[in-house]
Amino acid sequence: MVQTVTVLGATGSIGRSTADLLTQHADRFRTGAVVGGRDAVALANVARELNASFAALADEAGGPALAEALAGTGIPSGAGEGAVMEAVSREADIVVAAVSGAAGLKPTHAALRLGRTVALANKESLVCAGDAFMRDAKRYGATIWPMDSEHDALAQALHGRPLDDVRTLMITASGGPFRTWTRERIAAASPTEAAAHPTWSMGMKINIDSASLMNKGLELIEAHHLFGIEPERLDVVVHPQSVIHGMVYWIDGAVTAELALPDMRVPISHCLGLGDRLSIERGRPLDLVKLGSLTFEAADEERFPCLRIARAALSEGGAAPTVMNAANEVAVAAFIAGGIDFYGIADLVERACTHFAPVYPKAPADVEEALAIDAHVRSWSAESLPEMRAAG
C-alpha cells in the first residue's frame, strides 16, 4: 500500500534526509505537500525531486519566487500562513513535522486535529503545549511517532512494555563542542564555535542548543509527554560517540539500549515505516570492533546551566517549559547576533522563568494560549536584552 507523506520543514536537515528516503522507496511512498520557511529555490528543488502535489512557503514575500522556480512543473504553490495550512489540510497518511522552533506548533497541531499519523521532530510542540497536544492526539485519533533519534530509541527499547517495569528512561548527549572546555573558555566562545557540533549538522539554532545542552532539556520535557513518565524517572548521560541514543533501565537492573551510528535517516525510516524497517542506501553498518569503546560521562550542570534550568521547568510544570522555550529562542538569536555572550543565554532564560512563574502558573489549555504566552515572553525577553548588556 502506497503511503502519502507531507513534509513540514522540507528544506531543513531532517526534511532533506526524509526526501532521501522517500526517493529511495518511491514504490512505497508518494509525496503530498512540502513546506519550507524562506528559501523558495530550495523548496522548489525538493518539490521537483519528490514530484510533490503542492508546495508552500511560510514567508509570504517569497511566493512569486517559488512560483517562478516551479514554472513548467505543474506543481501548484502558495506562500504565507494560509498556504501552509492548506498544505497541512491536503490528504496525507503521514505528516513529517520537522519545522524548527515554536513556528511549528500551528501546522503540527492542525495535522494532529485531522487525525493524521504525525512523525514528530518538532520538539517545541510538546515543550510549549505538551498537555494540549497529547490530549488532542487522543481526542482526534491521531498517532504520534517520535522522530528524534533519542525518543525513537526509547520507543524501540521499551517495545510496548509497561512503565511499571521501568526504573529510568535515559537519553544521551554527545556533549557538544564544549564538552571538554572550561567554563572560562566557554564564556568567551563565538557563535561559530558554539555551532560547530562534533556529530550532527542540524542548523545554527539547534546546534547552539546542543552546545548549551538546552537541547537535552527540551528532549527530557518531550519524553515526559510522549511516554507519560514522571520527571524524576528521566535522565541524561553524556556519550561522546553518539552510538547509543536512548536506554531503558528496568526495575530488575537490566538495561536495554538502541545503538546506531549517528544518521537521522535511521529514526526517520522507522517512523515512515510505521515500525517496519526500511533499507537505507549508503547507510553505514555499526562496526563495534572498529569503534573499540563506548564512553559515558555525567552531564555538568555548572558548565551547562541550561540543562539545570530545563530540568527545573519540567519539574515545575505548568507554563514553565513554554516560557523557557520562548526566552531561549530570543536568547540564542541574540547570541548569534553578537548581543550577548554564551552564558547570557542561560541568564536570560532563567530571568524569564523567574519573572513569569507567578504570571503563568498553569499549563496552556490549547495551542492558541501557548502561542500567546510565547509572544508575551518573547517581547519581554527582547526588551530585557539592553538591560542585560548594560549590566554585563
Side-chain angles (χ1 to χ4, degrees):
M1 180 178 177
V2 176
Q3 302 278 307
T4 300
V5 181
T6 284
V7 186
L8 310 180
T11 57
S13 61
I14 292 176
R16 292 193 301 271
S17 293
T18 300
D20 183 39
L21 287 166
L22 293 177
T23 301
Q24 289 182 38
H25 295 279
D27 59 327
R28 293 190 56 157
F29 303 106
R30 69 168 63 93
T31 304
V34 291
V35 175
R38 295 179 179 276
D39 193 334
V41 173
L43 182 62
N45 288 339
V46 173
R48 287 171 178 268
E49 175 190 350
L50 297 177
N51 192 27
S53 65
F54 183 70
L57 200 67
D59 179 16
E60 191 166 0
L66 178 61
E68 181 180 353
L70 288 172
T73 65
I75 299 173
S77 65
E81 184 177 337
V84 172
M85 299 310 281
E86 179 185 345
V88 175
S89 70
R90 288 182 169 239
E91 193 61 40
D93 299 297
I94 302 170
V95 176
V96 175
V99 176
S100 177
L105 262 71
K106 287 184 74 171
T108 303
H109 188 253
L112 185 148
R113 285 175 61 92
L114 290 168
R116 305 282 192 250
T117 294
V118 176
L120 186 66
N122 174 261
K123 295 177 176 61
E124 291 77 9
S125 291
L126 296 184
V127 172
C128 297
D131 290 347
F133 259 78
M134 299 310 293
R135 179 198 66 218
D136 286 350
K138 184 175 181 180
R139 175 184 298 176
Y140 296 107
T143 303
I144 297 176
W145 282 79
M147 191 174 269
D148 274 349
S149 61
E150 296 82 3
H151 303 99
D152 173 68
L154 290 176
Q156 292 193 56
L158 278 167
H159 200 59
R161 295 296 305 168
L163 289 179
D164 286 348
D165 290 349
V166 174
R167 186 184 305 279
T168 305
L169 297 184
M170 181 80 73
I171 60 174
T172 62
S174 71
F178 303 151
R179 180 177 66 87
T180 62
W181 289 29
T182 64
R183 184 179 174 92
E184 291 71 26
R185 189 180 174 196
I186 294 171
S190 69
T192 300
E193 289 173 317
H197 198 282
T199 306
W200 303 96
S201 178
M202 304 169 289
M204 190 81 164
K205 195 271 180 181
I206 300 177
N207 279 359
I208 291 172
D209 280 347
S210 295
S212 71
L213 293 193
M214 175 60 84
N215 211 38
K216 293 302 123 179
L218 299 178
E219 289 169 5
L220 289 176
I221 297 168
E222 193 177 3
H224 162 66
H225 291 292
L226 283 170
F227 302 108
I229 193 167
E230 304 91 337
E232 57 270 21
R233 288 203 282 165
L234 291 165
D235 210 349
V236 175
V237 66
V238 175
H239 169 50
Q241 294 81 21
S242 298
V243 167
I244 295 178
H245 302 280
M247 296 175 275
V248 176
Y249 284 66
W250 304 100
I251 57 174
D252 62 2
V255 179
T256 301
E258 187 265 354
L259 286 74
L261 288 172
D263 182 341
M264 276 305 300
R265 293 178 301 171
V266 174
I268 293 169
S269 69
H270 193 232
C271 290
L272 292 179
L274 304 179
D276 290 343
R277 303 213 175 253
L278 305 180
S279 62
I280 299 177
E281 294 177 8
R282 303 178 305 280
R284 296 174 296 158
L286 177 61
D287 187 334
L288 290 174
V289 174
K290 184 176 180 181
L291 188 64
S293 63
L294 302 176
T295 61
F296 305 90
E297 305 163 9
D300 185 344
E301 295 184 7
E302 180 180 347
R303 286 185 300 135
F304 303 101
C306 281
L307 179 57
R308 170 183 56 78
I309 294 167
R311 285 184 188 272
L314 172 57
S315 295
E316 183 178 341
T322 316
V323 170
M324 180 196 71
N325 182 76
N328 182 64
E329 291 198 16
V330 172
V332 170
F335 171 64
I336 292 171
I340 58 175
D341 65 19
F342 186 75
Y343 282 119
I345 297 172
D347 290 344
L348 180 59
V349 174
E350 193 152 37
R351 287 189 188 198
C353 289
T354 300
H355 177 81
F356 285 102
V359 180
Y360 297 118
K362 295 182 180 179
D366 50 38
V367 169
E368 289 72 23
E369 186 177 352
L371 289 171
I373 294 171
D374 178 86
H376 186 187
V377 176
R378 285 173 186 269
S379 176
W380 180 92
S381 299
E383 291 171 1
S384 299
L385 287 170
E387 178 186 337
M388 285 184 61
R389 294 189 195 104

Short mmCIF file of all heavy atoms in Angstrom, two decimals, residues 99-157:
data_model
loop_
_atom_site.label_atom_id
_atom_site.label_comp_id
_atom_site.label_asym_id
_atom_site.label_seq_id
_atom_site.Cartn_x
_atom_site.Cartn_y
_atom_site.Cartn_z
N VAL A 99 9.43 21.32 11.23
CA VAL A 99 9.65 22.76 11.31
C VAL A 99 10.32 23.04 12.65
O VAL A 99 9.88 22.57 13.69
CB VAL A 99 8.34 23.54 11.20
CG1 VAL A 99 8.59 25.03 11.38
CG2 VAL A 99 7.67 23.27 9.86
N SER A 100 11.39 23.84 12.63
CA SER A 100 12.13 24.12 13.85
C SER A 100 11.48 25.26 14.63
O SER A 100 11.00 26.23 14.05
CB SER A 100 13.57 24.49 13.51
OG SER A 100 14.29 24.84 14.67
N GLY A 101 11.46 25.12 15.96
CA GLY A 101 11.00 26.20 16.82
C GLY A 101 9.51 26.25 17.01
O GLY A 101 8.75 25.40 16.52
N ALA A 102 9.06 27.30 17.73
CA ALA A 102 7.63 27.47 18.03
C ALA A 102 6.80 27.67 16.78
O ALA A 102 5.58 27.48 16.80
CB ALA A 102 7.45 28.64 18.99
N ALA A 103 7.45 28.05 15.67
CA ALA A 103 6.74 28.22 14.40
C ALA A 103 6.08 26.93 13.94
O ALA A 103 5.17 26.95 13.12
CB ALA A 103 7.70 28.73 13.33
N GLY A 104 6.53 25.80 14.47
CA GLY A 104 5.97 24.52 14.06
C GLY A 104 4.69 24.14 14.78
O GLY A 104 4.04 23.15 14.41
N LEU A 105 4.31 24.88 15.82
CA LEU A 105 3.16 24.47 16.63
C LEU A 105 1.86 24.40 15.83
O LEU A 105 1.17 23.37 15.85
CB LEU A 105 2.97 25.42 17.82
CG LEU A 105 3.56 24.96 19.15
CD1 LEU A 105 5.08 25.01 19.10
CD2 LEU A 105 3.04 25.82 20.30
N LYS A 106 1.50 25.48 15.16
CA LYS A 106 0.20 25.53 14.49
C LYS A 106 0.05 24.49 13.39
O LYS A 106 -0.95 23.76 13.37
CB LYS A 106 -0.07 26.94 13.96
CG LYS A 106 -0.39 27.95 15.05
CD LYS A 106 -0.75 29.31 14.50
CE LYS A 106 -2.13 29.31 13.88
NZ LYS A 106 -2.55 30.70 13.52
N PRO A 107 1.00 24.38 12.46
CA PRO A 107 0.81 23.36 11.42
C PRO A 107 0.86 21.94 11.96
O PRO A 107 0.11 21.07 11.48
CB PRO A 107 1.96 23.63 10.44
CG PRO A 107 2.95 24.44 11.19
CD PRO A 107 2.18 25.23 12.17
N THR A 108 1.70 21.69 12.96
CA THR A 108 1.75 20.34 13.53
C THR A 108 0.44 20.01 14.22
O THR A 108 -0.10 18.90 14.07
CB THR A 108 2.93 20.23 14.52
OG1 THR A 108 4.15 20.56 13.85
CG2 THR A 108 3.03 18.82 15.07
N HIS A 109 -0.09 20.95 14.98
CA HIS A 109 -1.35 20.72 15.68
C HIS A 109 -2.50 20.56 14.69
O HIS A 109 -3.41 19.75 14.91
CB HIS A 109 -1.65 21.86 16.64
CG HIS A 109 -2.82 21.60 17.53
ND1 HIS A 109 -4.03 22.23 17.37
CD2 HIS A 109 -2.98 20.75 18.59
CE1 HIS A 109 -4.88 21.80 18.29
NE2 HIS A 109 -4.28 20.91 19.04
N ALA A 110 -2.46 21.30 13.57
CA ALA A 110 -3.51 21.16 12.56
C ALA A 110 -3.51 19.76 11.97
O ALA A 110 -4.58 19.17 11.73
CB ALA A 110 -3.29 22.20 11.46
N ALA A 111 -2.33 19.19 11.75
CA ALA A 111 -2.24 17.82 11.25
C ALA A 111 -2.80 16.84 12.26
O ALA A 111 -3.50 15.88 11.92
CB ALA A 111 -0.79 17.48 10.91
N LEU A 112 -2.50 17.09 13.51
CA LEU A 112 -2.98 16.23 14.59
C LEU A 112 -4.51 16.27 14.66
O LEU A 112 -5.17 15.24 14.82
CB LEU A 112 -2.35 16.70 15.89
CG LEU A 112 -2.57 15.93 17.18
CD1 LEU A 112 -1.35 16.03 18.06
CD2 LEU A 112 -3.77 16.50 17.92
N ARG A 113 -5.09 17.46 14.53
CA ARG A 113 -6.55 17.61 14.59
C ARG A 113 -7.24 16.88 13.44
O ARG A 113 -8.42 16.53 13.56
CB ARG A 113 -6.93 19.09 14.57
CG ARG A 113 -6.68 19.82 15.89
CD ARG A 113 -6.98 21.30 15.73
NE ARG A 113 -8.37 21.53 15.36
CZ ARG A 113 -9.36 21.75 16.22
NH1 ARG A 113 -9.11 21.78 17.52
NH2 ARG A 113 -10.58 21.97 15.79
N LEU A 114 -6.53 16.66 12.36
CA LEU A 114 -7.09 15.92 11.22
C LEU A 114 -6.96 14.41 11.41
O LEU A 114 -7.35 13.64 10.53
CB LEU A 114 -6.40 16.36 9.93
CG LEU A 114 -6.73 17.78 9.45
CD1 LEU A 114 -5.78 18.20 8.33
CD2 LEU A 114 -8.19 17.87 9.00
N GLY A 115 -6.38 14.00 12.54
CA GLY A 115 -6.25 12.58 12.82
C GLY A 115 -5.13 11.90 12.06
O GLY A 115 -5.12 10.67 11.91
N ARG A 116 -4.18 12.70 11.58
CA ARG A 116 -3.07 12.13 10.82
C ARG A 116 -2.10 11.36 11.72
O ARG A 116 -2.07 11.54 12.94
CB ARG A 116 -2.28 13.24 10.12
CG ARG A 116 -3.10 14.15 9.24
CD ARG A 116 -3.40 13.49 7.90
NE ARG A 116 -3.93 14.48 6.97
CZ ARG A 116 -5.18 14.53 6.54
NH1 ARG A 116 -6.06 13.64 6.96
NH2 ARG A 116 -5.58 15.46 5.68
N THR A 117 -1.28 10.54 11.10
CA THR A 117 -0.11 9.99 11.77
C THR A 117 0.98 11.05 11.66
O THR A 117 1.36 11.45 10.55
CB THR A 117 0.36 8.69 11.10
OG1 THR A 117 -0.64 7.68 11.30
CG2 THR A 117 1.67 8.20 11.70
N VAL A 118 1.44 11.54 12.80
CA VAL A 118 2.41 12.63 12.83
C VAL A 118 3.77 12.08 13.25
O VAL A 118 3.92 11.55 14.36
CB VAL A 118 1.97 13.75 13.79
CG1 VAL A 118 3.04 14.84 13.88
CG2 VAL A 118 0.64 14.34 13.34
N ALA A 119 4.76 12.19 12.35
CA ALA A 119 6.14 11.84 12.68
C ALA A 119 6.77 13.11 13.24
O ALA A 119 7.08 14.04 12.49
CB ALA A 119 6.87 11.35 11.44
N LEU A 120 6.95 13.15 14.54
CA LEU A 120 7.24 14.40 15.23
C LEU A 120 8.73 14.63 15.44
O LEU A 120 9.40 13.91 16.18
CB LEU A 120 6.53 14.42 16.59
CG LEU A 120 6.61 15.72 17.38
CD1 LEU A 120 5.87 16.83 16.66
CD2 LEU A 120 6.03 15.52 18.78
N ALA A 121 9.25 15.67 14.77
CA ALA A 121 10.61 16.11 15.00
C ALA A 121 10.64 17.54 15.54
O ALA A 121 11.72 18.08 15.77
CB ALA A 121 11.43 16.02 13.72
N ASN A 122 9.48 18.14 15.72
CA ASN A 122 9.38 19.49 16.25
C ASN A 122 9.22 19.40 17.77
O ASN A 122 8.13 19.19 18.29
CB ASN A 122 8.20 20.24 15.63
CG ASN A 122 7.96 21.60 16.26
OD1 ASN A 122 7.08 21.75 17.10
ND2 ASN A 122 8.75 22.59 15.89
N LYS A 123 10.34 19.53 18.49
CA LYS A 123 10.33 19.40 19.95
C LYS A 123 9.37 20.38 20.60
O LYS A 123 8.70 20.08 21.60
CB LYS A 123 11.72 19.65 20.51
CG LYS A 123 12.78 18.66 20.12
CD LYS A 123 14.13 19.08 20.70
CE LYS A 123 15.21 18.06 20.41
NZ LYS A 123 15.44 17.86 18.97
N GLU A 124 9.32 21.59 20.03
CA GLU A 124 8.60 22.66 20.68
C GLU A 124 7.10 22.41 20.78
O GLU A 124 6.44 22.98 21.64
CB GLU A 124 8.88 23.98 19.94
CG GLU A 124 10.31 24.49 20.10
CD GLU A 124 11.33 23.75 19.24
OE1 GLU A 124 10.90 22.95 18.38
OE2 GLU A 124 12.55 23.97 19.44
N SER A 125 6.55 21.56 19.91
CA SER A 125 5.12 21.23 20.03
C SER A 125 4.81 20.66 21.40
O SER A 125 3.80 21.01 22.01
CB SER A 125 4.73 20.23 18.94
OG SER A 125 4.77 20.82 17.66
N LEU A 126 5.67 19.78 21.89
CA LEU A 126 5.43 19.16 23.20
C LEU A 126 6.01 20.00 24.33
O LEU A 126 5.48 20.00 25.44
CB LEU A 126 6.02 17.76 23.23
CG LEU A 126 5.38 16.77 22.25
CD1 LEU A 126 5.97 15.38 22.43
CD2 LEU A 126 3.87 16.71 22.44
N VAL A 127 7.09 20.74 24.08
CA VAL A 127 7.65 21.59 25.12
C VAL A 127 6.70 22.73 25.45
O VAL A 127 6.46 23.05 26.62
CB VAL A 127 9.03 22.16 24.68
CG1 VAL A 127 9.53 23.20 25.67
CG2 VAL A 127 10.04 21.02 24.57
N CYS A 128 6.12 23.35 24.43
CA CYS A 128 5.27 24.53 24.63
C CYS A 128 3.83 24.18 24.96
O CYS A 128 3.15 24.95 25.65
CB CYS A 128 5.29 25.41 23.39
SG CYS A 128 6.91 26.09 22.99
N ALA A 129 3.34 23.07 24.44
CA ALA A 129 1.92 22.76 24.61
C ALA A 129 1.71 21.25 24.73
O ALA A 129 0.79 20.69 24.13
CB ALA A 129 1.11 23.31 23.45
N GLY A 130 2.57 20.59 25.51
CA GLY A 130 2.54 19.14 25.58
C GLY A 130 1.23 18.56 26.08
O GLY A 130 0.71 17.59 25.52
N ASP A 131 0.67 19.14 27.14
CA ASP A 131 -0.60 18.62 27.66
C ASP A 131 -1.69 18.69 26.60
O ASP A 131 -2.45 17.73 26.40
CB ASP A 131 -1.03 19.42 28.90
CG ASP A 131 -0.14 19.16 30.10
OD1 ASP A 131 0.64 18.18 30.07
OD2 ASP A 131 -0.22 19.93 31.08
N ALA A 132 -1.78 19.84 25.93
CA ALA A 132 -2.82 20.02 24.91
C ALA A 132 -2.59 19.10 23.72
O ALA A 132 -3.54 18.51 23.18
CB ALA A 132 -2.84 21.48 24.45
N PHE A 133 -1.34 18.94 23.30
CA PHE A 133 -1.03 18.08 22.16
C PHE A 133 -1.41 16.63 22.44
O PHE A 133 -2.06 15.97 21.62
CB PHE A 133 0.46 18.18 21.81
CG PHE A 133 0.73 19.07 20.63
CD1 PHE A 133 0.73 20.44 20.78
CD2 PHE A 133 0.98 18.54 19.38
CE1 PHE A 133 0.97 21.28 19.70
CE2 PHE A 133 1.23 19.36 18.28
CZ PHE A 133 1.23 20.74 18.45
N MET A 134 -1.00 16.11 23.58
CA MET A 134 -1.27 14.71 23.87
C MET A 134 -2.77 14.48 24.09
O MET A 134 -3.31 13.45 23.68
CB MET A 134 -0.47 14.27 25.09
CG MET A 134 1.04 14.38 24.91
SD MET A 134 1.69 13.64 23.37
CE MET A 134 1.38 11.89 23.68
N ARG A 135 -3.44 15.45 24.71
CA ARG A 135 -4.89 15.34 24.89
C ARG A 135 -5.60 15.32 23.55
O ARG A 135 -6.50 14.51 23.30
CB ARG A 135 -5.38 16.52 25.73
CG ARG A 135 -6.90 16.55 25.99
CD ARG A 135 -7.32 17.93 26.43
NE ARG A 135 -7.15 18.91 25.35
CZ ARG A 135 -6.73 20.15 25.55
NH1 ARG A 135 -6.41 20.59 26.77
NH2 ARG A 135 -6.63 20.97 24.52
N ASP A 136 -5.20 16.23 22.64
CA ASP A 136 -5.87 16.32 21.34
C ASP A 136 -5.52 15.15 20.43
O ASP A 136 -6.32 14.77 19.59
CB ASP A 136 -5.52 17.65 20.67
CG ASP A 136 -6.24 18.83 21.33
OD1 ASP A 136 -7.13 18.59 22.15
OD2 ASP A 136 -5.88 19.99 21.01
N ALA A 137 -4.33 14.61 20.59
CA ALA A 137 -4.00 13.41 19.81
C ALA A 137 -4.99 12.29 20.12
O ALA A 137 -5.48 11.60 19.21
CB ALA A 137 -2.57 12.96 20.11
N LYS A 138 -5.28 12.13 21.39
CA LYS A 138 -6.25 11.11 21.79
C LYS A 138 -7.65 11.47 21.32
O LYS A 138 -8.40 10.62 20.82
CB LYS A 138 -6.22 10.96 23.32
CG LYS A 138 -7.10 9.86 23.85
CD LYS A 138 -6.93 9.70 25.37
CE LYS A 138 -7.79 8.57 25.90
NZ LYS A 138 -7.62 8.41 27.38
N ARG A 139 -8.00 12.75 21.44
CA ARG A 139 -9.34 13.20 21.08
C ARG A 139 -9.63 13.00 19.60
O ARG A 139 -10.73 12.59 19.21
CB ARG A 139 -9.51 14.67 21.44
CG ARG A 139 -10.84 15.29 21.00
CD ARG A 139 -10.89 16.77 21.31
NE ARG A 139 -10.80 17.04 22.74
CZ ARG A 139 -10.75 18.26 23.26
NH1 ARG A 139 -10.74 19.32 22.48
NH2 ARG A 139 -10.68 18.42 24.56
N TYR A 140 -8.63 13.27 18.74
CA TYR A 140 -8.86 13.23 17.30
C TYR A 140 -8.34 11.96 16.64
O TYR A 140 -8.36 11.83 15.42
CB TYR A 140 -8.20 14.45 16.64
CG TYR A 140 -8.82 15.76 17.09
CD1 TYR A 140 -8.15 16.61 17.94
CD2 TYR A 140 -10.12 16.12 16.69
CE1 TYR A 140 -8.71 17.81 18.37
CE2 TYR A 140 -10.69 17.31 17.11
CZ TYR A 140 -9.98 18.15 17.95
OH TYR A 140 -10.56 19.32 18.38
N GLY A 141 -7.89 11.02 17.45
CA GLY A 141 -7.45 9.75 16.90
C GLY A 141 -6.15 9.81 16.12
O GLY A 141 -5.90 8.97 15.24
N ALA A 142 -5.32 10.80 16.43
CA ALA A 142 -4.03 10.92 15.76
C ALA A 142 -3.00 10.02 16.44
O ALA A 142 -3.12 9.70 17.63
CB ALA A 142 -3.55 12.37 15.79
N THR A 143 -2.00 9.63 15.69
CA THR A 143 -0.89 8.84 16.23
C THR A 143 0.39 9.66 16.11
O THR A 143 0.67 10.23 15.07
CB THR A 143 -0.72 7.53 15.44
OG1 THR A 143 -1.94 6.80 15.49
CG2 THR A 143 0.40 6.69 16.03
N ILE A 144 1.15 9.73 17.21
CA ILE A 144 2.42 10.45 17.20
C ILE A 144 3.57 9.45 17.24
O ILE A 144 3.66 8.63 18.14
CB ILE A 144 2.53 11.41 18.40
CG1 ILE A 144 1.43 12.49 18.31
CG2 ILE A 144 3.91 12.06 18.45
CD1 ILE A 144 1.41 13.43 19.51
N TRP A 145 4.43 9.55 16.22
CA TRP A 145 5.65 8.75 16.18
C TRP A 145 6.83 9.67 16.46
O TRP A 145 7.03 10.64 15.73
CB TRP A 145 5.83 8.10 14.80
CG TRP A 145 4.97 6.90 14.60
CD1 TRP A 145 3.66 6.88 14.29
CD2 TRP A 145 5.38 5.53 14.71
NE1 TRP A 145 3.19 5.60 14.19
CE2 TRP A 145 4.23 4.75 14.45
CE3 TRP A 145 6.58 4.90 15.00
CZ2 TRP A 145 4.26 3.36 14.48
CZ3 TRP A 145 6.61 3.52 15.03
CH2 TRP A 145 5.47 2.76 14.77
N PRO A 146 7.60 9.42 17.50
CA PRO A 146 8.72 10.30 17.80
C PRO A 146 9.86 10.11 16.80
O PRO A 146 10.35 9.00 16.60
CB PRO A 146 9.15 9.87 19.20
CG PRO A 146 8.70 8.44 19.33
CD PRO A 146 7.46 8.34 18.49
N MET A 147 10.28 11.23 16.17
CA MET A 147 11.31 11.14 15.13
C MET A 147 12.69 11.54 15.62
O MET A 147 13.70 11.24 14.98
CB MET A 147 10.91 11.99 13.92
CG MET A 147 11.77 11.77 12.70
SD MET A 147 11.20 12.65 11.24
CE MET A 147 10.11 11.42 10.52
N ASP A 148 12.78 12.23 16.76
CA ASP A 148 14.11 12.49 17.32
C ASP A 148 14.80 11.16 17.58
O ASP A 148 14.16 10.19 18.00
CB ASP A 148 13.99 13.25 18.65
CG ASP A 148 13.91 14.76 18.44
OD1 ASP A 148 14.15 15.22 17.32
OD2 ASP A 148 13.61 15.46 19.42
N SER A 149 16.10 11.11 17.35
CA SER A 149 16.81 9.84 17.49
C SER A 149 16.70 9.29 18.91
O SER A 149 16.57 8.08 19.11
CB SER A 149 18.29 10.00 17.11
OG SER A 149 18.94 10.94 17.93
N GLU A 150 16.70 10.19 19.91
CA GLU A 150 16.64 9.74 21.31
C GLU A 150 15.29 9.11 21.64
O GLU A 150 15.22 8.05 22.27
CB GLU A 150 16.91 10.92 22.25
CG GLU A 150 18.29 11.52 22.14
CD GLU A 150 18.45 12.49 20.98
OE1 GLU A 150 17.44 12.75 20.26
OE2 GLU A 150 19.56 13.00 20.77
N HIS A 151 14.22 9.74 21.21
CA HIS A 151 12.89 9.23 21.56
C HIS A 151 12.51 8.02 20.72
O HIS A 151 11.82 7.12 21.20
CB HIS A 151 11.87 10.35 21.41
CG HIS A 151 12.21 11.55 22.24
ND1 HIS A 151 12.83 12.65 21.73
CD2 HIS A 151 12.06 11.77 23.57
CE1 HIS A 151 13.03 13.52 22.70
NE2 HIS A 151 12.58 13.02 23.83
N ASP A 152 12.99 7.99 19.48
CA ASP A 152 12.80 6.78 18.68
C ASP A 152 13.52 5.61 19.33
O ASP A 152 13.00 4.49 19.39
CB ASP A 152 13.33 7.02 17.27
CG ASP A 152 13.31 5.76 16.43
OD1 ASP A 152 12.21 5.28 16.10
OD2 ASP A 152 14.40 5.24 16.10
N ALA A 153 14.73 5.87 19.85
CA ALA A 153 15.48 4.81 20.53
C ALA A 153 14.75 4.32 21.77
O ALA A 153 14.68 3.11 22.03
CB ALA A 153 16.87 5.33 20.92
N LEU A 154 14.21 5.23 22.55
CA LEU A 154 13.46 4.83 23.74
C LEU A 154 12.23 4.02 23.37
O LEU A 154 11.91 3.01 24.03
CB LEU A 154 13.05 6.07 24.54
CG LEU A 154 14.16 6.83 25.25
CD1 LEU A 154 13.61 8.09 25.91
CD2 LEU A 154 14.86 5.95 26.30
N ALA A 155 11.52 4.44 22.34
CA ALA A 155 10.32 3.71 21.92
C ALA A 155 10.69 2.29 21.49
O ALA A 155 9.98 1.32 21.81
CB ALA A 155 9.63 4.45 20.77
N GLN A 156 11.82 2.15 20.77
CA GLN A 156 12.23 0.81 20.35
C GLN A 156 12.67 -0.03 21.55
O GLN A 156 12.36 -1.22 21.62
CB GLN A 156 13.38 0.92 19.34
CG GLN A 156 12.97 1.53 18.01
CD GLN A 156 14.02 1.33 16.95
OE1 GLN A 156 14.43 0.21 16.66
NE2 GLN A 156 14.47 2.42 16.36
N ALA A 157 13.37 0.58 22.48
CA ALA A 157 13.84 -0.17 23.65
C ALA A 157 12.68 -0.57 24.56
O ALA A 157 12.68 -1.67 25.13
CB ALA A 157 14.86 0.66 24.42
#
